[in-house]
Amino acid sequence: MSIRKASDLRYSDVTPRQEYLNRRRFLATGSAALGALGALANPFAARAEAKLSGYSQSPFSTDEKPSPYSAVTSYNNYYEFGTGKDEPVKLARNYRTSPWTVTIEGEVAKPKTLDLDAIMKAAPLEERIYRHRCVEGWSFVIPWIGFPLSALLKHVEPTSKAKYVAFQSYYDPKQMLSSREAQIQFPYVEGLRLDEAMHPLALISVGVYGEVLPPQNGAPLRLTLPWKYGFKSIKSIAKIRLVDKQPPTTWNIAWAQAYGFYSNVNPEVDHPTHSQAMEVRLGAGMFGQRMKTRMFNGYDQVASLYSGMDLRKYY
Ligand SMILES: Nc1nc2c(c(=O)[nH]1)N[C@H]1C(S)=C(S)[C@@H](COP(=O)(O)O)O[C@H]1N2
Ligand SMILES: [Mo]
């Protein structure tokens, strides 16, 4: 594959190679079985082999050591593809994420449906190495590639009525679990206050470890919000809607006392089943490394977004 600048990258250039080959074989023969055979023959079909290039390094990156690629891409929460950590890497293997469109609508002057070529060109790509803290008490350090969510939102020009941003994941009951099986509502939905969404730390990720996102990490694009618990970072985004009221969110619907709308990382507010004071950094050493959890996961620069709010109440 030729390496080009991000500005003239087409998404078809960065589709995982095996997926691309499978699709071409499928188109050539009209046989789904042959396509599936191609994927089976290559046990690493889900590994995104397509390198991204032309991205800059972000000053927001931590200098902590990134977690191993193998851990970050095989230990996942992605309930649409299974409720076990080891399931998404297997069950999302043949998840087709090309072609793809994202609709951005609601309280905006210029609603848009963007394909992935347009998404990739929405803003210059940056690598950002962020801490990732799951509400369950484990954490990673992950080198994402993406661009600020604010850049995407500016393209559609939010109106003065826009106060919140609602996100919706892609959902296909034919290749994903039912809500009954997963015990959470699908399509997966999340939300942010508009000023949180416009914060420079809020990232749309399209890649990780220098490559396009693998399916289990939320291909082809997902949110990455390092100061909030991981479940706020919604995967595989299909729809974005600017709205005037606080939108419903999937985990809040499932258990409101445990999963608030804000869900900023806070070592002083316990989950109903466990303390949030400590976390285990997975992939560090044989058993992971136990460490203290920090307010806002250490991203103090977001604190002004919440001044005047009682963070014990608005958890
Ligand atoms: N659509 C969707 N997005 C999701 C989830 C999910 O189940 N479905 N899980 C969330 C949770 S709990 C976490 S910790 C992160 C995990 O992201 P990662 O697998 O890339 O580490 O994705 C979040 N985004
Ligand atoms: Mo999570």
Side-chain angles (χ1 to χ4, degrees), residues 8-277:
D8 50 40
L9 251 178
R10 289 172 47 79
Y11 197 77
S12 48
D13 295 336
V14 296
T15 301
R17 191 184 306 147
Q18 192 60 37
E19 180 191 322
Y20 213 59
L21 292 176
N22 287 343
R23 191 168 64 242
R24 283 177 47 194
R25 200 169 308 165
F26 174 75
L27 290 173
T29 63
S31 155
L34 261 180
L37 211 71
L40 279 176
N42 180 356
F44 302 107
R47 168 141 190 181
E49 295 173 33
K51 294 252 181 279
L52 288 169
S53 63
Y55 51 86
S56 62
Q57 294 298 326
S58 168
F60 294 130
S61 287
T62 172
D63 50 22
E64 289 155 279
K65 191 168 176 263
S67 306
Y69 174 96
S70 57
V72 171
T73 58
S74 67
Y75 185 92
N76 303 98
N77 273 329
Y78 197 168
Y79 273 42
E80 288 89 329
F81 288 111
T83 55
K85 303 280 183 273
D86 58 335
E87 287 180 292
V89 63
K90 294 179 241 163
L91 299 178
R93 185 163 290 169
N94 295 316
Y95 183 39
R96 296 262 173 88
T97 54
S98 167
W100 191 270
T101 57
V102 181
T103 301
I104 315 179
E105 58 190 12
E107 291 296 343
V108 297
K110 295 189 173 151
K112 279 188 178 136
T113 295
L114 302 173
D115 65 13
L116 271 168
D117 289 340
I119 298 269
M120 299 296 278
K121 285 182 194 141
L125 296 181
E126 305 166 32
E127 179 169 73
R128 293 201 188 178
I129 306 171
Y130 276 164
R131 289 181 291 277
H132 170 87
R133 169 63 157 82
C134 178
V135 73
E136 296 164 342
W138 51 268
S139 65
F140 280 136
V141 174
I142 307 182
W144 302 105
I145 293 171
F147 54 80
L149 172 61
S150 66
L152 192 58
L153 296 179
K154 279 173 194 158
H155 281 284
V156 295
E157 299 178 16
T159 70
S160 59
K161 281 193 189 151
K163 300 283 186 260
Y164 292 87
V165 191
F167 301 86
Q168 189 176 306
S169 291
Y170 181 76
Y171 182 61
D172 176 5
K174 291 201 284 296
Q175 49 180 329
M176 293 168 169
L177 298 197
S178 68
S179 289
R180 226 176 117 243
E181 289 167 312
Q183 297 284 298
I184 58 170
Q185 183 201 279
F186 294 138
Y188 195 101
V189 289
E190 256 307 333
L192 293 170
R193 225 171 48 199
L194 184 60
D195 59 341
E196 296 180 290
M198 298 304 282
H199 194 279
L201 280 181
L203 192 73
I204 291 279
S205 295
V206 296
V208 71
Y209 297 94
E211 302 178 343
V212 299
L213 285 178
Q216 63 273 24
N217 291 94
L221 77 159
R222 55 92 56 82
L223 212 52
T224 304
L225 306 163
W227 72 98
K228 291 178 178 287
Y229 291 120
F231 66 87
K232 297 289 298 180
S233 293
I234 186 172
K235 293 178 170 178
S236 204
I237 297 170
K239 223 182 248 184
I240 301 177
R241 193 170 176 84
L242 287 280
V243 293
D244 62 350
K245 291 194 182 65
Q246 184 178 303
T249 58
T250 285
W251 278 103
N252 185 256
I253 294 164
W255 191 3
Q257 289 72 27
Y259 309 110
F261 176 81
Y262 288 94
S263 284
N264 295 314
V265 174
N266 187 343
E268 287 168 21
V269 176
D270 293 343
H271 185 277
T273 68
H274 59 273
S275 161
Q276 294 289 24

